[in-house]
Amino acid sequence: MAILWLLMALLMLSLVLLPVLRRGRGGIEQVPPGHPDAADPAAYGFVRQEQLDVRLPGPDQDLVEVLELVQRTQDYRAAAQLLAGTESAGELRWQRVQAFAGAAALELQQRPGGVHETPGGQWLRVWRAEQPKDAGGAAVHAEFLVQQAWRTATPGTDDFRIIMEEARAACGQAALLAPGDPVPCVIELSVARGLAYTQAEFEQLWLKILDRAPHHMGAHLAALHHWCEKWHGSREQAYSFAEAAAARAPRGSLLAALPLFAVFEHLPEVNLVAGFYRSEVVTRAIHGALHAVHAADRDDPTLPHVRHLLTFFLVCAERWAEAMDQLIHIDGHVGALPWTLSADPAAAFALHRALAVAGYEANGGSPAPLPG
């Protein structure tokens, strides 16, 4: 996958830095950058690359305000209050737990502390010390440990296992504090992947999640990762899991888009031709995701995740108009796959966005027919 991203980035960088494409009689003409006819993302009201929010997949103003307050004051209480008021069985609570844990982990990475310096993320330690029975704080702490394991240690090493075992215990504590809340179990899915749970152990954990939230998109994405070829399953197992979940998904559920995530997890290392992205398996997964997006509730917090991945596939398949339709809904936020796999998520997103605009205009598109 690393090779794929490197080659894809080099290819797309060359396309963006070369003269931008536009439609001409009998084919595509080249126009120099800065020419009035050159494709310009700003003409569509898109956010400048340096202003893209890499923290979240989509807007959550309450979370953003609380995150900024907590990081500015190092007082956890606003975070505790926000999680206490967030529905436990919904996707939003899971995403907010991830965001708080990620913020604390990033603070610690930037300020590891020392003799005369307080380590970053101290507000989370205070939260756990002052409110040990707070379910929200326990869940954030468990997710924080999981992220620390993946960020700071190598899977298979003693250091990694020690942190993951601590995370496993923290998941158990969080689950005891919030009976019926699926979030601690969803966090443990990452522990299961890191510690290589046996199939029996994994299935026992998965049954707990199905009992609490059978259609939880975040849980299914984490479980899909577990069953991928690069971890503890195979391409066939991952595809089977994704297709079964999509088949039993209720109307309006974004689980119908899960096969597209399975395809993404098994992209060939060096296949960069558009023909692959127009193959039957990819086209079928794209259509399933498009159907899921059209049927989903506009306020579903996992909708941006699907739109981001759809944008990637639609651009690669040169389905420019459909890619533009997704971009107008997600532009401004880039905290989602596939961009988060890049060292610079904003740059990766901006490259694909520029390609979508260039391809769209090269085929006669303009800002006029797009919804605002």
Side-chain angles (χ1 to χ4, degrees), residues 40-319:
D40 181 11
Y44 298 83
F46 290 149
V47 175
R48 293 172 60 87
Q49 179 179 326
E50 60 269 23
Q51 296 176 324
L52 291 168
D53 190 332
V54 301
R55 299 170 298 179
L56 303 172
D60 185 346
Q61 190 58 36
D62 290 341
L63 174 60
V64 169
E65 290 176 359
V66 169
L67 265 176
E68 291 175 350
L69 177 63
V70 168
Q71 293 186 306
R72 184 175 68 253
T73 65
Q74 290 296 295
D75 187 333
Y76 69 85
R77 286 176 292 183
Q81 184 177 5
L82 182 65
L83 284 183
T86 305
E87 180 188 4
S88 63
E91 305 280 354
L92 191 59
R93 182 179 178 83
W94 164 231
Q95 293 197 26
R96 287 175 169 176
V97 166
Q98 283 186 302
F100 285 127
L106 182 59
E107 281 187 37
L108 182 58
Q109 180 181 338
Q110 294 172 339
R111 301 195 311 278
V115 178
H116 302 295
E117 181 184 32
T118 301
Q122 184 67 19
W123 53 268
L124 178 55
R125 298 180 184 84
V126 175
W127 188 355
R128 292 297 295 131
E130 293 187 353
Q131 295 194 29
K133 295 185 178 181
D134 179 69
V140 173
H141 179 239
E143 173 65 15
F144 167 82
L145 291 171
V146 167
Q147 293 194 26
Q148 279 296 98
W150 292 111
R151 284 170 183 261
T152 65
T154 302
T157 63
D158 288 342
D159 287 345
F160 182 83
R161 176 167 289 276
I162 288 170
I163 302 174
M164 275 298 186
E165 289 290 0
E166 187 179 354
R168 185 178 191 173
C171 287
Q173 295 170 3
L176 289 174
L177 292 171
D181 183 353
V183 169
C185 295
V186 177
I187 297 170
E188 193 178 346
L189 286 172
S190 189
V191 177
R193 177 162 54 91
L195 294 180
Y197 278 23
T198 65
Q199 184 168 343
E201 289 175 319
F202 185 88
E203 289 179 352
Q204 183 179 21
L205 174 60
W206 185 242
L207 286 174
K208 290 180 182 178
I209 293 172
L210 292 181
D211 183 57
R212 291 163 170 77
H215 306 300
H216 197 286
M217 182 69 170
H220 280 79
L221 288 173
L224 174 66
H225 208 34
H226 181 93
W227 290 122
C228 285
E229 191 173 59
K230 61 187 175 184
W231 286 105
H232 308 297
S234 65
R235 179 191 302 266
E236 292 72 25
Q237 285 177 292
Y239 277 30
S240 177
F241 174 81
E243 289 165 3
R248 66 173 180 266
R251 179 172 176 77
S253 170
L254 285 164
L255 285 177
L258 204 60
L260 188 65
F261 287 85
V263 170
F264 177 75
E265 291 291 347
H266 296 89
L267 285 177
E269 288 274 331
V270 294
N271 193 332
L272 300 177
V273 298
F276 168 77
Y277 294 97
R278 297 172 186 157
S279 64
E280 182 181 353
V281 65
V282 176
T283 299
R284 186 168 63 247
I286 288 175
H287 287 170
L290 285 170
H291 175 76
V293 164
H294 292 152
D297 186 330
R298 301 300 93 180
D299 295 326
D300 190 321
T302 61
L303 182 56
H305 288 278
V306 179
R307 289 193 186 277
H308 279 286
L309 196 63
L310 259 175
T311 298
F312 168 79
F313 275 97
L314 291 169
V315 169
C316 291
E318 298 180 1
R319 295 167 63 164

